[in-house]
Amino acid sequence: MNKKIGILGCGWLGLPLAKSLIDDKHTVFGTTTSDSKMEVLQVANIVPYTIDLTENGIKGNIKGFLAELDLLIINVPPKLRSTPKKSYIKKMQHLYDEIKKTSLSRIIFISSTSVYGDIEGQVTEDSPTRPNTESGKQLLAAENIFLNDGSLNTTIIRFGGLIGPSRHPVTFLAGKTDLSNGTDPVNLIHLNDCIGIIKLIINGNWENKVVNGVYPLHPTKEAYYTSEALKRGLLPPIYTKNRDEIGNKSIESKYLNVKIYHYNTSIVS
């Protein structure tokens, strides 16, 4: 069935997701924060809007963007590393307030496994959240803005580290020395499977669920990033220190295992 789907944030994940949904005959409304990128959305047959969430309010025609949607995918990362004093929570609160003025009730919120922090062992959706970064703390608070409203049908997807075209952590780690936690497992997911999981949730009944999206292969960081660096002709990172078990987490999803989602793209190059 054709749906009118809004994607708030048509960037590295949002744009290819939009194109895939359009291929599936859905009508996609998408946003960018820059007028210069409007043409990119138009060329992809996305109904384009320039929307910018700020701490003080929302710039752009947010009412028009939300007006006809059957489903909204919120794909706006906190980006607090570059702007640590900004309030992501305030931005999401402004968005929530606008949503409540409409008849829209179905939300998919793209979050991150950073909300689990440095807990140990195998992590599922039932595990406690203990974020230890500002980004993780604000993401968790933003999740709850939507989850705590029982009148909304909200699904939270917590993706692991994202890899795919022009994006891989090894490019930042290559050649670095004295890195810690080389025995910790990696928790990554490819862009293709991010899109696959989102589409699975769009087409199913996932009301008020939290879902982890992480590829079910967890080699150690040292083994994985050494191998990936060598395949790219890069200097492998050197791991020399390890903390005792702290943060040694392996993230799984009990819901995706039950629903039998078949991961399509390995994290191994």
Side-chain angles (χ1 to χ4, degrees), residues 2-59:
N2 178 275
K3 294 182 176 68
K4 293 180 178 179
I5 300 173
I7 301 178
L8 191 67
C10 287
W12 183 84
L13 168 58
L15 183 59
L17 170 62
K19 292 177 179 178
S20 182
L21 292 172
I22 289 169
D23 288 343
D24 291 342
K25 309 304 180 185
H26 297 296
T27 301
V28 177
F29 299 73
T31 77
T32 175
T33 58
S34 172
D35 287 333
S36 64
K37 295 180 181 177
M38 289 285 278
E39 185 178 355
V40 174
L41 304 191
Q42 290 172 326
V43 168
N45 294 317
I46 300 165
V47 182
Y49 284 82
T50 302
I51 303 289
D52 188 12
L53 305 184
T54 77
E55 292 178 301
N56 299 318
I58 301 176
K59 298 177 181 178

